[in-house]
Each structure stands twice: as C-alpha cells, then as structure tokens.
Amino acid sequence: MSYVVPVPGLVLLPIIDSDRLFPVRRVYCVGRNYAAHAIEMGHDPDREAPFFFQKNPDNLVLSGLDFPYPPLSGDVHHEVELVVALKQGGSDISPEEALECVYGYAVGIDFTRRDLQAEAKASGKPWAAAKAFEHSAPISPLVATDIAGHPTTGRIWLSVNGERRQDGSLDQMIWKVPEIIAELSKLFTLAPGDVIMTGTPSGVGAVVRGDIVSCGIDGVSALDVKVV
C-alpha cells in the first residue's frame, strides 16, 4: 500500500527505569481544577463541574528539548500539571474502577497564549489557538504506577529563573484523578495511549525568551525547559 502523503509518526514518551516507550493517542486537559487557580482566573470553584479541552499529541515536548516562544502572542503563561497516562480505557468508567486504567504519571506544562485565550473567551470562540499550538506541552518521562503508586498528595511547584511562581499540593485538586477519568469517560471513549493533564495550582504567569522554567511533583518527576 502506498500513501499520498508521509504517514505521521507516533509520539512516544520515555518511561523511567524502562527501555520501553508509551505511544500517545490523545491529550485531554482539565480546566480550572485547583480552587485557588479558579479564583485567580475569576471563577467560583464551588459551582463548576469539570470541563475539558484537548491538545494534540505532537504538541508534547520531550524532556531535554526547548520551548520555542509561539508567534502571534505576547503573553504566554506557564501552568504546571500532573499528567496521567492510561493503559486501558472505555466509556462510563466508575471512579472505583478508574485507577485500574492508569499506567503511570508525569509532570507537564500547559503553556497557554493567554492573550489569545482572553480574546476567545470574550467573543465566545474556541480556545484551540490558545492551547493546542506547537510545542505547548512539555512533559517529563513517565513513571509507572508500580514505582510511583497513585500520588494523591505531594508538592507541585514551578520556578522561573529560580524564582518560585507556583507552589501547591495535589490534594488541592477539586476533582481527583479517579473522578477526572470517570467524568471524561462520559464524554469520550477513552483508550490506551490517552494522557490527561489534570489542571494547575495558582501562580500562573508569563514567560519570555531566555527564561529557564523548572517544575516538579514530589514522588513523580521533575522537568526543566528553556524558552527560546
């Protein structure tokens, strides 16, 4: 069989202490899943059910690579997040069964063109250009659950040029990982290879070219990215 264009390559994530790779199918993201971040973005966390948006698999930037500052924006923000990688899926998964779907975890950054997002919000348009642009999701290697377990507490943090910007805890998440998987599976049929970015604590802010962004989650991993 021949193809009219080159076949797109798989996005493959490295795994800590393994020579195997994790193929990515889809990238889901949870919006405003930490109370303090919801408040700093002007929303009431007590009244909001979880909502989701997507990035593209090839938006993922592997550890050790730079983040090129995107065009058509002058206000790009960092958002550090716990990332969940699924080994199995389905529809209408119960919270009690959800963790059986998880292969492992990583640290990720949801870079956001905040100015384009604000324009989209004001006009009722989608966020795709603000969220799903090239290189917008740096991610650490995965750590499997047989090493990391299922982290429910632990510090999640991000610094820019050594200055702490974000400093929270996983137990501050409004919707926990089993609930996120359950709610997402009501909207989409989840499958092996799906990854979920689970939201960010407060303290999001702008980056500029030349910045060194360092972030991590206790018991999971850490990640360093240079903005170029």
Side-chain angles (χ1 to χ4, degrees):
M1 180 182 295
S2 61
Y3 301 92
V4 297
V5 297
V7 177
L10 276 174
V11 175
L12 302 169
L13 301 182
I15 301 166
I16 293 173
D17 293 335
S18 175
D19 58 0
R20 297 184 298 169
L21 298 170
F22 183 91
V24 178
R25 174 180 175 262
R26 293 180 182 172
V27 180
Y28 296 101
C29 307
V30 186
R32 296 192 292 265
N33 195 35
Y34 286 72
H37 176 58
I39 291 168
E40 77 176 346
M41 298 302 291
H43 298 272
D44 184 345
D46 295 328
R47 295 184 179 179
E48 187 169 57
F51 75 94
F52 304 97
F53 57 93
Q54 287 180 262
K55 289 179 179 278
N56 302 305
D58 62 1
N59 295 157
L60 296 171
V61 177
L62 301 184
S63 181
L65 299 179
D66 296 333
F67 167 65
Y69 199 96
L72 300 179
S73 179
D75 191 24
V76 175
H77 282 206
H78 57 73
E79 301 184 9
V80 61
E81 313 207 1
L82 174 70
V83 182
V84 182
L86 302 187
K87 63 183 178 182
Q88 62 189 57
S91 298
D92 295 317
I93 300 166
S94 71
E96 294 75 21
E97 299 173 328
L99 291 183
E100 298 175 9
C101 298
V102 178
Y103 173 79
Y105 297 89
V107 179
I109 304 173
D110 170 14
F111 278 119
T112 302
R113 287 164 161 157
R114 192 70 76 202
D115 44 2
L116 299 191
Q117 185 187 40
E119 293 171 8
K121 287 180 179 179
S123 58
K125 294 178 180 177
W127 294 5
K131 289 288 191 179
F133 57 93
E134 278 66 31
H135 315 289
S136 61
I139 186 171
S140 74
L142 295 174
V143 55
T145 58
D146 58 3
I147 297 175
H150 295 284
T152 57
T153 61
R155 189 162 164 243
I156 176 172
W157 58 272
L158 181 144
S159 297
V160 178
N161 302 325
E163 176 188 353
R164 189 56 45 85
R165 295 272 189 91
Q166 296 184 260
D167 202 342
S169 174
L170 295 180
D171 60 13
Q172 297 169 345
M173 293 170 66
I174 299 169
W175 294 83
K176 312 305 183 186
V177 170
E179 298 168 323
I180 290 169
I181 294 171
E183 291 296 315
L184 188 59
S185 73
K186 296 177 183 178
L187 295 168
F188 302 93
T189 300
L190 301 180
D194 289 344
V195 299
I196 306 169
M197 304 185 75
T198 59
T200 194
S202 62
V204 301
V207 297
V208 298
R209 292 175 181 85
D211 280 347
I212 302 297
V213 181
S214 302
C215 58
I217 299 174
D218 291 352
V220 178
S221 191
L223 178 65
D224 294 313
V225 178
K226 183 177 181 180
V227 184
V228 298

